Amino acid sequence: MRNGAGGTHPDHPTPDHPDPLETRLAARLARLRVEHGWSLDDLAHRTGISRSTLSRLERAQISPTAALLGRLCAAYGRTMSRLLAEVETTPSHLVRADRQPVWHDETSGFTRRSVSPPHTGLRGEIIEGILRPGADISYDAPPVPGLEQHIWVLDGTLHVTADDHTHDLRAGDCLRFRLWGRSRFHCPGPQPVRYAVMIILP
């Protein structure tokens, strides 16, 4: 996963000169584990991610996929945007389009743009998601139980499963729900799907 560039598989090493944001993210993940008083084995048990993968993530030796980062966010009770905001160097009330962080997960075919300016103290955020045809992403649990989401499809078709209920969304459709369990996002094709998500913390 990269900020504004191509992604890497979690088993593949990052380049010799990783993105500075990714390096700060790795350091923040390591600090979060220490702040919670967890060993790598403890975190592996809580997330289902192997100890060796967690160790390499915290040392910025590999780049996490969206699914892996989702598991870590759930363990730490943070949305992905909040986690990214915690590693931004200069939070602002305004973020121009060309400065919005973009993450690519080539493994799953997912691109995520953080539209809202980063802020750790506010409860709402907007993100843009793009899934290529056939892309299918599942999350075991929300980062915060009862998380409210509004999903507005801008282009294409999106299948969303939330708490075992599946919805077929097309351009212009908007779905709202509070998430307590598993969720899944699938693009059936034949074109990519682009959608906006508003997330509101309970």
Side-chain angles (χ1 to χ4, degrees), residues 8-79:
T8 59
H9 188 276
D11 293 331
H12 293 171
T14 56
D16 293 336
H17 302 287
D19 189 303
L21 177 61
E22 194 161 284
T23 300
R24 295 197 301 272
L25 175 60
R28 180 57 182 148
L29 290 173
R31 288 197 304 272
L32 278 171
R33 180 174 57 79
V34 172
E35 289 169 7
H36 282 72
W38 297 340
S39 67
L40 284 170
D41 289 328
D42 292 333
L43 186 57
H45 178 73
R46 291 171 181 271
T47 61
I49 303 172
S50 72
R51 185 185 190 281
S52 61
T53 296
L54 290 171
S55 176
R56 295 173 70 195
L57 283 172
E58 291 184 0
R59 288 179 290 169
Q61 293 181 343
I62 57 174
S63 180
T65 63
L68 284 181
L69 205 54
R71 291 188 187 186
L72 290 169
C73 286
Y76 293 128
R78 281 164 164 75
T79 64

Side-chain angles (χ1 to χ4, degrees), residues 17 77 94 124 178:
H17 302 287
L94 172 65
R178 293 174 69 91

Side-chain angles (χ1 to χ4, degrees), residues 139-168:
Y139 298 97
D140 294 331
V144 179
L147 192 70
E148 181 179 347
Q149 295 191 29
H150 301 242
I151 301 176
W152 181 25
V153 176
L154 304 173
D155 299 293
T157 300
L158 178 66
H159 292 171
V160 177
T161 301
D163 295 327
D164 298 323
H165 297 285
T166 300
H167 307 271
D168 181 4

